[in-house]
Amino acid sequence: MPMPYDGVHLMSREIIKIKVGVGRVDAVAGAAEVTVVGVFSDGKGGAVFRKLDKALNGGLSQVLGLGDFKGEANTTAVVYGNKAIGARRVVMVGLGDRAKLTVDAVRQAAGRAASMAVDLKAKKAIFALHGDLPKKLRPEALGQAIAEGVHFGAYRWDEFLGKGNDKDGRPAAIGVVIAETDAAVAKALGEGVKVGNIMGEAQNFARTIMNRPANVVNPPSLAAEAKRLAARTPGLTCSVMEEKQIRAKGMGGLMAVGQGSATQPRLIVLKYSPARARGRTIGLVGKAITFDSGGISIKPSEGMQEMKFDKSGGVAVLGAMKAIAALKPPVQVYGIIPSAENMPGGMSYRPGDIVTTYSGKTVEIQNTDAEGRMILCDAIHHAVMLKCDVVVDVATLTGASVVALGEWRAALMSHSDRLIERIKAASEACGENVWHMPCGEEYLELMKSKIADLKNIGGKWGGACTAAAFLGEFARDVEWAHLDIAGVGMVDGSKKFGSPGSIGYGVRLLTTFVRNEAE
Ligand code: BES
Ligand code: MN
Ligand code: ZN
């Protein structure tokens, strides 16, 4: 069989490098291309704002007075330094309602400002955001959120833009210094920044892989990427099952979906094993369909290009494993990523096929486009075989979840109320939103087949819930939860942020969840 052509070597430039630190610099005197200060929608600036405003002879308050900028969330204004201060420009970023300020609002404002700084081609920026914020917000949490926000907002996915297309000339790297003169506060901020840099880097690593198209990322090349990550990451190992082993193990679901493509399926298993692991072993399972054409039950052509993002759950697991290995929580974690390409062809699985999955349960295929659950059921069973106590799967599983929740919340299903609460807590802490949906007996009924144990589609309605109920059948022996990220995983970030493509949803949520479980 001819080898598919892989275009990795065509990438023309490196992704922007981003680093956040804390410096004992004065926000007014500090030299930078951009200095960032936050403003609430009541228009009242804090101490840092007033100092900058005074040095600029009222240049900041004038903008507010004119009403050109009101401090509302997701807005910015630029004022030029004109040699009156150390920085060439001040970017005012809106923090919204003072009473409603959350750590996530700070993360978003930092992202907005960082995106602006990259658009202004800044190589160095000073952030004085935290100085004017209510004291009830802990400096560690602020440092982390600001660093995460900077990584998020400064990121650009432009590695395939040719050299002649570089008219904007964005900087190769941007360094952000959080200005703090108080040593104790600087230390606390720094602790948070360390975590934020790790989270932000892992999330952007995931975004880049999510964004890459299916002629570049296929199951073998994704597996190679996972191996490279493990090779350079202490504490992380990676083993990959190739087609022969997948077949020999009896992973009929993964085989069925993978067999229609010229690129063969893989089961990627990452393991993070700390020296002193305690408590329960966690399995993170992520769907990595590198392209979902629908297979024989082919999708309409409109919008099909978005189905390169159907690997986002698996790549979120990859990114989370990178962050977990760097943050070193004392708990053992497996990252299990079943990967296949869902294509129509002479070798494809068909509607009507009856597939025997790794667990031994049989599944009647009624629609080859319901492929995610077919690869996940084998991977979840593998997590059970590896003796995971807690299993969280994450997948761009159903259009129905997008209909229900839109683009800014993932659906969360589980049989365990405890796990629902734990994941909700992680969600609130990290700013990646979830919404609890059902997956109980009434939905499972719709997944039962007359000629096999299960079928792979339910009725017309409640598609996100029936899909989850199907997966839950393979996780009866463990505490399990499912995140359907179809809406948040496919959203085009350029609608809200600086870079086109993925927002890397799931990296922060899974990492935060694991860190909390280890406590
Ligand atoms: N990857 C898709 C889910 C999807 C659809 C994500 C739209 C984002 C946007 C999944 O494999 C799929 O095709 N699901 C089907 C299931 C159906 C055949 C039961 C769907 O949702 O239509
Ligand atoms: Mn599909
Ligand atoms: Zn899919």
Side-chain angles (χ1 to χ4, degrees):
M1 197 182 289
M3 277 298 287
Y5 176 71
D6 151 348
V8 165
H9 62 281
L10 295 176
M11 287 179 288
S12 73
R13 61 170 156 183
E14 271 188 53
I15 298 290
I16 185 169
K17 288 201 168 55
I18 305 159
K19 207 81 215 173
V20 185
V22 182
R24 306 275 296 272
V25 291
D26 178 81
V28 178
E33 285 146 301
V34 167
T35 288
V36 175
V37 63
V39 181
F40 288 103
S41 54
D42 59 12
K44 286 197 203 103
V48 180
F49 175 92
R50 282 196 301 276
K51 272 200 267 171
L52 280 165
D53 191 41
K54 196 169 164 221
L56 288 165
N57 199 19
L60 302 186
S61 48
Q62 184 187 25
V63 182
L64 285 156
L66 287 169
D68 295 2
F69 167 78
K70 300 191 182 81
E72 264 149 32
N74 301 322
T75 65
T76 52
V78 187
V79 173
Y80 291 84
N82 208 14
K83 299 204 169 77
I85 57 171
R88 314 255 306 249
R89 313 168 183 86
V90 173
V91 167
M92 290 190 278
V93 58
L95 295 168
D97 193 332
R98 184 185 295 270
K100 287 191 196 140
L101 185 80
T102 58
V103 171
D104 192 52
V106 177
R107 186 185 289 109
Q108 303 233 10
R112 220 10 98 175
S115 181
M116 189 84 203
V118 169
D119 287 343
L120 292 166
K121 304 176 188 50
K123 294 189 186 69
K124 186 185 169 194
I126 291 176
F127 272 51
L129 262 177
H130 68 285
D132 290 340
L133 301 182
K135 294 293 169 253
K136 65 170 200 260
L137 302 178
R138 287 171 34 247
E140 289 89 350
L142 284 178
Q144 182 182 338
I146 291 170
E148 287 171 358
V150 167
H151 280 272
F152 195 93
Y155 176 83
R156 297 289 181 271
W157 187 60
D158 52 11
E159 60 184 348
F160 285 94
L161 285 182
K163 290 231 157 51
N165 206 342
D166 192 15
K167 59 178 182 344
D168 289 343
R170 65 134 169 95
I174 181 167
V176 168
V177 177
I178 301 179
E180 178 56 58
T181 48
D182 182 296
V185 179
K187 184 162 180 287
L189 281 167
E191 292 301 318
V193 166
K194 253 191 250 164
V195 177
N197 272 326
I198 289 169
M199 287 273 206
E201 264 167 40
Q203 185 158 31
N204 286 348
F205 165 78
R207 287 168 86 182
T208 298
I209 299 171
M210 288 168 182
N211 286 333
R212 287 181 181 163
N215 62 326
V216 173
V217 179
N218 50 47
S221 76
L222 182 63
E225 188 76 52
K227 284 231 168 197
R228 277 197 295 279
L229 172 69
R232 65 170 187 264
T233 310
L236 197 61
T237 56
C238 176
S239 66
V240 173
M241 280 162 84
E242 304 203 343
E243 196 247 38
K244 220 174 135 187
Q245 293 156 283
I246 296 168
R247 187 189 288 270
K249 279 264 182 194
M251 297 182 169
L254 182 54
M255 275 309 297
V257 177
Q259 73 191 31
S261 169
T263 56
Q264 291 177 342
R266 294 287 186 267
L267 185 76
I268 304 164
V269 182
L270 292 142
K271 184 180 183 185
Y272 162 71
S273 226
R276 266 186 296 278
R278 54 165 192 258
R280 312 197 302 162
T281 297
I282 302 172
L284 306 176
V285 176
K287 168 182 174 182
I289 292 292
T290 56
F291 187 72
D292 183 11
S293 70
I296 297 293
S297 315
I298 197 163
K299 287 181 183 293
S301 58
E302 196 188 318
M304 207 202 268
Q305 69 277 5
E306 294 198 350
M307 288 300 144
K308 71 168 181 173
F309 291 121
D310 211 19
K311 58 186 178 289
S312 297
V315 179
V317 168
L318 188 62
M321 293 304 287
K322 175 175 157 70
I324 290 162
L327 291 165
K328 303 185 175 63
V331 61
Q332 179 157 290
V333 186
Y334 283 102
I336 302 167
I337 306 170
S339 184
E341 187 180 41
N342 189 23
M343 296 290 266
M347 296 274 284
S348 300
Y349 80 134
R350 298 148 284 250
D353 284 3
I354 297 174
V355 170
T356 303
T357 64
Y358 186 27
S359 69
K361 286 192 206 312
T362 54
V363 181
E364 178 196 353
I365 304 302
Q366 289 194 341
N367 188 321
T368 63
D369 199 10
E371 85 296 340
R373 61 202 74 181
M374 297 309 299
I375 69 169
L376 285 167
C377 67
D378 283 351
I380 291 170
H381 188 68
H382 191 61
V384 174
M385 299 300 277
L386 289 172
K387 299 198 165 58
C388 293
D389 303 293
V390 184
V391 174
V392 179
D393 81 73
V394 48
T396 48
L397 202 63
T398 66
S401 77
V402 194
V403 172
L405 298 175
E407 293 187 330
W408 299 106
R409 258 171 210 276
L412 165 63
M413 292 84 157
S414 175
H415 302 135
S416 158
D417 291 338
R418 185 205 82 103
L419 199 49
I420 292 286
E421 288 315 314
R422 299 290 288 171
I423 294 175
K424 273 196 192 165
S427 164
E428 262 148 47
C430 79
E432 292 183 338
N433 296 323
V434 298
W435 195 256
H436 181 194
M437 303 236 290
C439 65
E441 286 301 322
E442 58 275 48
Y443 297 98
L444 182 60
E445 272 314 306
L446 296 166
M447 299 306 295
K448 290 192 176 148
S449 163
K450 289 201 171 69
I451 55 173
D453 298 330
L454 293 162
K455 53 192 172 109
N456 81 329
I457 59 170
K460 192 169 180 188
W461 310 113
C465 306
T466 50
F470 175 97
L471 293 179
E473 281 303 280
F474 297 84
R476 282 290 177 194
D477 303 333
V478 293
E479 200 179 10
W480 157 86
H482 162 65
L483 288 159
D484 191 334
I485 62 162
V488 285
M490 305 247 180
V491 51
D492 183 355
S494 65
K495 276 187 243 159
K496 259 199 141 178
F497 300 98
S499 180
S502 170
I503 59 170
Y505 183 99
V507 175
R508 295 206 311 267
L509 179 57
L510 295 175
T511 307
T512 307
F513 169 72
V514 165
R515 290 185 84 204
N516 290 352
E517 287 300 284
E519 265 166 22

